[in-house]
Structures are given as structure tokens and as C-alpha cells.
Amino acid sequence: MHRDAVNSALRNVAIIAHVDHGKTTLVDALFRQAGVFREGQDTAERLMDSMDLERERGITIAAKNCAITWKGVKINILDTPGHADFGGEVERALSMVDGVVLLVDASEGPLPQTRFVLDKALRAHLHVLVVINKIDRSDARPLAVLNDIHDLLIDLDADDDQIECPILFADGRAGIAKKSLDEEADNLHVLLDTIVEEVPAPSYSSAEPFQMLVSDLSYSDFLGRLAVGKVIHGSAKSREALVCIGDGGSQTTLNVSRLQVYSGPSLADTDTANPGDIVVLAGIENVHIGDTICSKDAPKALPRIAVDEPTVSMVFAPNTSPLLGREGKIVQSSKIRERLEKETLLNVSMQVEDMPGKAGFVVKGRGEFQMVILLETMRREGFELNVGRPRVIYKNDGGKLLEPIEHLYVECDDNFTGIVTEKLSKRKGRMVNYESHEGNRARLEFSVPSRGLIGYRDEFLTDTRGTGMFNSSLDGYEEFRGEFPSRFTGSLVADRSGECVPYALFNLEPRGQLFVRPGDPVYEGMIVGEHNRDSDLNVNPCKTKKLTNMRASGKDDAVILTPVLPMTLERAIQFIRDDEMVEVTPKSIRLRKGSLAAHERKADLRRATST
């Protein structure tokens, strides 16, 4: 389709980067310097991280839009997540922009998620502007990082224009950017100028009627369902009658009850949506991401947003423990399903299926971290449920079993490279690169099955004494590399209901590492600790000391227990085996067996060994 016009008063740009490379802090500084806030106005730090979980974890989870005006040009900025598990958010964001600002840490350089999001941008033929951030770090190496970025662009088959992209150096926290390291700078004006000059203005066809691609959904208590997207062609007015074209070509008529555009971090009402505008429409209930909203007189669908397939699945099931309903308000299977379906509407990379013959659902997504964030959100909303171990999704190609493979980047001290390589080789990992850096640091690259990384993070941090870093991104599918043990230890399983007693826990400590404290409620089939051996052991954590009328030296000493590390969702999900589950409630995270009764577990084991 020939595009013969541009909206020169507008620029749409996404900021893409790896986790913790400073995207959200840079956007804060852009807000301040573009005059979004009045002088002396009290503003929150990391303004775009609006979710509680984002503020607590210091990461961006959902892509969010905002807008600033610079020298008469409106710049729509999309702050995208830096974690590959939220790749669906990145794909949606890139469908609305004409250029990207690639932010790279001046010390760490381009990391796996940088590669992941940059590859998406290059495939969409978006204009790239590189910003090397955090040049104030004591270990900054901006020129070496610049070489790494050029190598990455060449490796990703960027065209000549994309390789010759503008390069800026910045300190987002101080709010400065410059074209060379030698320059003096005290603001971000050069970055704003470069965005206006280098990012193309949205182009459109003046002959085409109104078309808008729905890239995001939101909800308002006052307006109902909101459709967010970019106007590709034509214009629309508030109260105008339009048509929504869904998957398969189904058409639904709608009246635009309210039309809004972004102004700073919030929304402002507008009468007209022009080509290139990122707008928010109210007045349609049955809308999905990827739908086209267009003119009633000439309905014409746009290509739908293409999203990578999910690679991990997890079972979400209603809670069946004896402690059901004590801590959560929402326990019904129908309510859990309703909540999961709502999540699939807002998150294009997630799918939900019913479990055949069982009460529960199979949730498919990009990675275990995406599942953890969904679970954490649900427990805060009052849900109580059980979840199983993450499992990778295999493919079958002409009789060959294929599995997802991750490209893993590890950075650690030279002393720890041996143990890391040994552990990953046991998980069918293969080393593909080894580099030695200054300060006795090494960077290693591995090709590892996705299932090999489930549960490995905690082990890695222990092996590197908390000083190692590892990041991974999906590298594609390869032939199945064979089985390997996921855990070398068994579980300590409670054999009755009751409350944990200090005397009992003290006598259980030699058996393994405990997960419970005195006074914690337990029930038959609940996992109270990790066994030192590879088999499960049924134990009684409620056993009290027998009372006698005999006194002996040392018998009345106070019991001193080893402190117990609080159980987190990530740790719980990584720990469990295939026959175990995590009980998630608003107040607690407990581990349990899939079958609670001991005789049922024995029967399950007999069935498993006979097959």
C-alpha cells in the first residue's frame, strides 16, 4: 500500500533494554526536562513503574505509554519490559512505533534480553537510536560496549542504515546525554533533538479510510473496556460509529463513547484521532489484542500482531488442602478460570486450556518468571490455588522430539567457572564461548535446554557465592538432548495434621533442611523440608516430648533451632518435583504432595514404576 503523507508533528518511539539498564529512570528525566511537571512539583521516582510488583522488584513488567512535547513535536514514548518472559509486551509495543531507543549499560554491555528485543525491532524495520547509559559507573567501558553493539547489529543481520545508527552517551540518573564522551553536558536535550531528527514521522495513505490496530487493552470503572492502539490511516471523531474486525473476520459495530490520547504519564480527552496517534477508545466491550477498528463504510482488516509461541506450561488447580479457605477469599475453580481468561485478554503471549478429566487448567507462557508474576498478582487479589512444576512445551517434527533451547550468558569469578560448567553439563548444557575479563571475571556462553534452567538459579547463586550473574534468551528448538535428574534430594513429608513443635523440629534437623517454623500449621502430605537423601521420608513435626517424673542433666535445656529462610514463590516453584505442588494463598506459600494421603502416594509410585 502506497503511503503518500506523514504526520510531521508526531514521533512514536519505544525504549528497549535489558533488565536494570536504566529505562524507567531515563524516562523520568525526560519528563522533568520536557516540562511535563511544573517547577517544584512533587513526583514519584520511577513514575512509569505503576504496579506494586514493579516497584518492589525494580523491573518493568507491563509496557506502558506516555507522551511529551519537544519543540512543537509530540513524542509518544513506550517503556517496554526488559525480561524475555514478557516478550508479548514488547511485541505489542513495537507494533505502535516507528523507531526504538536501544539503551545499553556502559559496563555490562548488550545482554540476552537486549539481543531479544533488538532482533524484534530490526525485523520490524524500525529505526534504531543507541544510547550507552550509566557512563558514570566506576567500571564503565563505553567504547568497548560500543564495539559489542556493532558486533550485535551485524550478527542480527541489520541493514546498512541500522548499523550506521546515531550513538549517544548518557547518565540517566543525572539526566544528561551527549554525542561524544569528551563533551560537557547538563541535560538530555541532545537525546530529544536526535529522536525528533532521526525517528521517522508516522506515514499513512491519504486515500485510505480510518484504520486502527488494537495493541493493548485496559479497563476503567467508569468507561468499561478500553482499546489502545495506533491509528494507521485516516482519522476518527468522538461519538463516531465504527466497526471492530475480530479474528476470523467477524464484525462488531461500536460507538466511540470517549476518545483519549497520552499527555505526560496520564490521558487527556480529544475530539479527533489523527494518523500516527496512539489513542485510547472507550465504547466497545468485546475487543481483543490484534483486532482492527475501522470505518463502518469501508471495513478493512490490518495484519494481526504475530507473537512467539509459549515455551513453558504450568498446571493451575483449585486448592484441595485441609487448610482451604482459611487465608484466601477466592477458592472456586470457576473464579480461577475467569481470572486466567482475563489475563489472556491482556497478555497475548499467554494461553489457557482445561485439563482433560481433572479440575484444573494448563497455563502456557514464555517462562517461569512470567508465571510467578501472575501468581503473585493473583494471591494479592485474594486467590487461593495449587500450582504444579513448570514444564517445557515440546514439539514433534516428523517423528523427532524437539525441545526449546536457551542461549545462556554467565558472568562470574574465574574461580567458579569449573563448578558452573560442571553443573550445566549435567543439565545437558554445552559451552559455546569463553572470555576472560579484567578483575578475574569470566563471561561464558552455553547452549542449554530450557528445562535445564528450571530450578538452577538458586543453585547457581550458591555456587558463585552470590557474585555471579546469568541471563538467557530462547535460541530456538533442537532435538531432545536426553533425560537428566532435576533434583538429587527427596522431601520430608508430614504424616499428620497439627502444629509444628520445637522439640520435633530440633530432632528433624539432622535429616535435612526445614521449611517450617514452630507454630506453623501442617497436614498429611505437606512438605516440611528437604531430605538429605534422594528418597522421600514421612515425618512427624508435631511430636512432643514425653513427660516423666525423672530428671536428668541437660534434659531441660532450651531447644535452639536453625533459622528458616522464608519461602518465596520462585524458590518453591523451582524446588518441587513433578509429583509435588505449591499451595499459594494471600498469606502463605506451602509445598505439598499432589496426593496427600500416604497410601495414595504409594499407589501412584507403583503405577509410575509399572509403566
Side-chain angles (χ1 to χ4, degrees):
M1 185 187 299
H2 178 61
R3 300 192 177 206
D4 58 357
V6 295
N7 185 350
S8 56
L10 192 62
R11 301 290 185 276
N12 295 323
V13 65
I15 298 188
I16 59 177
H18 187 84
V19 178
D20 202 31
H21 279 199
K23 295 183 305 299
T24 311
T25 304
L26 185 72
V27 173
D28 280 359
L30 288 172
F31 276 162
R32 287 194 296 272
Q33 294 188 27
V36 172
F37 307 121
R38 67 178 185 274
E39 192 70 32
Q41 182 176 344
D42 188 28
T43 58
E45 196 178 328
R46 298 202 337 268
L47 192 73
M48 294 298 283
D49 282 350
S50 52
M51 294 166 59
D52 287 344
L53 275 171
E54 290 180 319
R55 291 193 167 276
E56 286 171 24
R57 292 171 178 262
I59 59 169
T60 301
I61 293 169
K64 287 175 285 294
N65 306 1
C66 61
I68 57 178
T69 302
W70 182 251
K71 296 182 178 176
V73 176
K74 181 179 180 180
I75 304 173
N76 281 311
I77 300 174
L78 280 74
D79 185 15
T80 63
H83 201 289
D85 281 18
F86 307 108
E89 299 283 328
V90 175
E91 280 144 5
R92 291 198 283 116
L94 296 184
S95 70
M96 292 190 269
V97 299
D98 303 292
V100 295
V101 175
L102 174 67
L103 207 64
V104 182
D105 188 294
S107 170
E108 294 178 7
L111 289 174
Q113 272 71 43
T114 315
R115 185 189 186 92
F116 171 80
V117 288
L118 182 59
D119 188 32
K120 299 278 180 198
L122 295 176
R123 286 189 196 177
H125 305 291
L126 300 176
H127 199 90
V128 179
L129 163 61
V130 173
V131 177
I132 297 175
N133 193 30
K134 301 190 182 182
I135 56 173
D136 60 312
R137 283 184 61 157
S138 58
D139 57 349
R141 46 185 193 98
L143 297 178
V145 166
L146 181 55
N147 286 333
D148 292 343
I149 293 167
H150 280 131
D151 290 344
L152 178 60
L153 287 166
I154 293 165
D155 196 29
L156 292 174
D157 295 327
D159 60 37
D160 291 344
D161 288 340
Q162 289 168 330
I163 290 172
E164 295 299 320
C165 57
I167 309 286
L168 297 179
F169 300 91
D171 175 2
R173 195 166 52 180
I176 61 168
K178 47 194 178 181
K179 289 190 175 180
S180 73
L181 291 167
D182 305 328
E183 283 181 24
E184 290 295 321
D186 57 4
N187 56 46
L188 289 167
H189 294 182
V190 67
L191 172 57
L192 292 163
D193 288 339
T194 308
I195 289 173
V196 172
E197 291 162 13
E198 297 288 343
V199 174
S203 61
Y204 62 97
S205 170
S206 54
E208 290 290 322
F210 176 76
Q211 282 181 305
M212 167 188 155
L213 181 68
V214 179
S215 299
D216 199 358
L217 297 176
S218 188
Y219 187 84
S220 161
D221 291 335
F222 303 104
L223 303 172
R225 181 65 58 79
L226 304 174
V228 183
K230 179 184 173 184
V231 179
I232 308 297
H233 303 290
S235 58
K237 295 187 181 299
S238 186
R239 307 286 172 189
E240 191 173 329
L242 299 171
V243 170
C244 176
I245 304 177
D247 196 8
S250 59
Q251 296 188 9
T252 312
T253 56
L254 68 136
N255 279 307
V256 181
S257 61
R258 198 163 179 181
L259 189 59
Q260 295 174 302
V261 292
Y262 287 92
S263 175
S266 51
L267 291 165
D269 289 348
T270 184
D271 294 326
T272 310
N274 294 312
D277 275 341
I278 295 175
V279 296
V280 182
L281 292 179
I284 177 170
E285 279 306 307
N286 190 21
V287 62
H288 298 85
I289 290 169
D291 290 355
T292 300
I293 295 176
C294 53
S295 167
K296 196 175 182 180
D297 303 326
K300 195 172 177 183
L302 292 162
R304 295 184 75 82
I305 297 172
V307 178
D308 289 346
E309 293 177 19
T311 57
V312 169
S313 70
M314 265 177 78
V315 171
F316 282 52
N319 191 4
T320 54
S321 92
L323 303 178
L324 169 67
R326 287 196 192 177
E327 297 173 352
K329 296 178 292 183
I330 311 168
V331 296
Q332 304 93 328
S333 179
S334 58
K335 294 283 185 185
I336 294 170
R337 182 190 178 87
E338 200 177 288
R339 175 65 181 83
L340 292 174
E341 285 180 343
K342 179 186 170 189
E343 189 67 25
T344 62
L345 288 176
L346 300 173
N347 192 333
V348 282
S349 63
M350 203 168 262
Q351 300 170 12
V352 176
E353 298 170 4
D354 285 321
M355 280 183 72
K358 292 182 181 177
F361 315 98
V362 178
V363 180
K364 297 179 178 179
R366 288 286 180 82
E368 57 186 294
F369 188 53
Q370 186 188 27
M371 302 292 189
V372 165
I373 294 298
L374 171 60
L375 279 169
E376 188 63 54
T377 307
M378 288 178 70
R379 71 187 287 233
R380 290 176 187 216
E381 292 168 4
F383 281 88
E384 214 175 271
L385 67 160
N386 288 338
V387 293
R389 177 179 169 82
R391 300 185 182 194
V392 300
I393 299 169
Y394 298 105
K395 285 183 178 179
N396 204 311
D397 181 26
K400 288 182 181 177
L401 186 64
L402 304 181
E403 66 172 337
I405 301 292
E406 306 272 339
H407 194 101
L408 176 70
Y409 293 77
V410 171
E411 193 172 308
C412 63
D413 286 346
D414 279 331
N415 304 336
F416 304 129
T417 55
I419 184 71
V420 169
T421 306
E422 182 191 338
K423 291 281 181 76
L424 286 170
S425 64
K426 285 180 180 175
R427 294 167 178 261
K428 303 296 181 184
R430 299 168 187 159
M431 187 188 292
V432 294
N433 192 24
Y434 181 103
E435 290 176 21
S436 201
H437 288 288
E438 294 174 18
N440 294 325
R441 297 284 284 181
R443 179 179 283 193
L444 298 81
E445 293 177 41
F446 294 88
S447 167
V448 192
S450 296
R451 61 197 164 100
L453 296 182
I454 294 173
Y456 176 61
R457 184 175 294 274
D458 282 354
E459 209 174 310
F460 170 79
L461 289 172
T462 304
D463 290 341
T464 61
R465 298 181 188 170
T467 61
M469 292 190 299
F470 89 67
N471 297 281
S472 65
S473 60
L474 186 67
D475 205 27
Y477 280 76
E478 286 183 18
E479 202 167 335
F480 185 70
R481 292 190 182 177
E483 296 291 350
F484 56 84
S486 58
R487 200 174 102 204
F488 296 94
T489 56
S491 301
L492 298 174
V493 186
D495 64 359
R496 69 198 68 203
S497 296
E499 281 191 1
C500 293
V501 174
Y503 172 78
L505 297 183
F506 180 75
N507 287 301
L508 286 177
E509 278 191 350
R511 300 284 190 174
Q513 184 184 355
L514 297 180
F515 301 150
V516 290
R517 299 180 181 86
D520 285 353
V522 294
Y523 50 83
E524 184 183 7
M526 180 173 154
I527 298 169
V528 296
E530 180 179 7
H531 192 198
N532 288 333
R533 299 185 180 181
D534 59 359
S535 58
D536 292 342
L537 181 68
N538 291 329
V539 297
N540 178 9
C542 313
K543 184 179 180 182
T544 54
K545 186 178 180 181
K546 285 195 167 49
L547 300 176
T548 69
N549 60 356
M550 300 291 290
R551 293 182 67 87
S553 172
K555 286 287 183 183
D556 296 326
D557 288 349
V559 169
I560 300 173
L561 296 171
T562 306
V564 173
L565 205 63
M567 184 57 72
T568 62
L569 261 173
E570 287 104 318
R571 188 168 156 234
I573 285 169
Q574 289 169 0
F575 175 81
I576 57 174
R577 283 174 161 168
D578 289 339
D579 66 330
E580 297 168 349
M581 301 191 90
V582 181
E583 180 188 343
V584 181
T585 77
K587 294 181 181 175
S588 308
I589 294 163
R590 303 184 185 96
L591 306 182
R592 50 162 286 178
K593 287 290 182 180
S595 300
L596 295 179
H599 67 273
E600 289 177 6
R601 295 200 299 275
K602 284 180 182 175
D604 291 343
L605 186 62
R606 277 198 300 271
R607 278 194 295 271
T609 50
S610 64
T611 55

